[in-house]
Amino acid sequence: MATYIDTPSRTFNEYLLIPGYSTSECTPDKVDLTSPLVRYKRGETPTLRLNVPLVSAIMQAVSGDRLAIALAKEGGLSFIFSSQAIEAQAAMVRKVKMHKAGFVTSDSNIKADQTLAEVVALKEETGHSTVAVTDDGSAHGTLLGIVTSRDYRVHRMRSDTPVSSFMTPFSELVWADESITLTEANDLIWDHKLNTLPIIDKEGKLVSLVFRKDYDSHKEHPLELHDEDKRLLVGAGINTHDYRERVPALVESGADVLCIDSSEGFTQWQSDTIAFIRERYGDRVKVGAGNIVDRAGFRFLADAGADFVKVGIGGGSICITRETKGIGRGQASALIEVAAARDEYCEETGIYVPICSDGGIVHDHHMTLALAMGADFIMLGRYFARFDESPTNRIFLNSTYMKEYWGEGSNRARNWQRYLATKEKKLVFEEGVDSYVPYAGPLRDNVGVTLAKIRSTMCNCGSLTLSQLRKNATLTVVSSTSIVEGGVHDVLPKDTHTFSTP
């Protein structure tokens, strides 16, 4: 006979937090939102942490390299989508690791016998005004000089003017060898009032560039998430089919953490994938797994060696797994049970395995609820899809700007490796839809508002850290009537009604 769970499957919208006692020290500016990203032994420090508990979903419509850069600057992490060619995904990872590395590999390079017209074309292609002049036009050729926008005037010079005639030659450059530290490089930049400092090896070949603007950018983003070499952190999705080829390519490209992308993770395929990674790389390569919705699923993946476990099936705004297949669980109910299982596992083994709440977030306050219920961090798709940095098109629809957004289980995604498909690589049925979401502007502005709300609510609950929030929080189930009461009611909002004057 089937097993029945008689308690309702609940969502975040059915809960509210009860305010707790707050001391005068409990102010938003003192709230610490750091959270472990991967498993660690109790009493030790995790090897990877998030500065804010937000990660972007493994989706074509969400996690490209541009959004990964923007989110890492704010303290979160993106998982570059895996429903693309292996080399294309690895290239996206490399772009993120190169973007803000302190020591940046030059992506705008030219030879001395090329022309001003080619410099201008290169600037339009890359968007960068600093061009390295090398003997072979490559990023690691012998450095001959540097060209910046101050070295030429398009309207006063012939387009066929050779680069060698207007570049700043190597003999006039301030440079450093590759043994220099980033701190020393920044000191040189400030001492010599430079915008760019070339780093060369013993043979005079260009190794990298250090930019003044990167130093300024870091100061503007104090929560920036980076590794010990000052490179931004980035994750990457994998599947349970081509992992033997995809994982090595992603590791080589510099991915800091991997995550198996699947709508249902309580499977042998996931344990086999984790086993391959452990056999080949040991604990050096970190990999998350999921998704699951109960204690048994968590224990299975934790025992298999997952570094974190994703919780949630069918709760995403574009996911139709529940109505298509009849599987899933309300996100709040799933998270509460799995959080308890995580704590039990830690007590038994001394190993803390973080959990990620994936799906079910509609409003910003749902994020705080998820964190109070036990999530170590939250994976978001629709939320990030609305921003400038997501890889989809912005369109004007019904008098407002929208962004395209589709699920990995939709036909548009063509993500056959995530779902069972026919030999002809045709999706038998869809588990996601193709849609639009309201355009919301830059990521930084929106994430700043969201985090301000989370910090404020945590103070209302007398908590300055996420662990304190989980310990101190008191939650109450709300009725449908109280949900209505919690919104605007019994008034006519001014911004939605127009009145005429007699």
Side-chain angles (χ1 to χ4, degrees), residues 66-78:
R66 189 178 172 211
L67 188 128
I69 290 167
L71 182 53
K73 286 183 176 181
E74 302 309 315
L77 182 88
S78 287

Side-chain angles (χ1 to χ4, degrees), residues 300-314:
F300 172 78
L301 292 176
D303 288 338
D307 287 295
F308 67 86
V309 175
K310 285 202 299 168
V311 182
I313 294 177

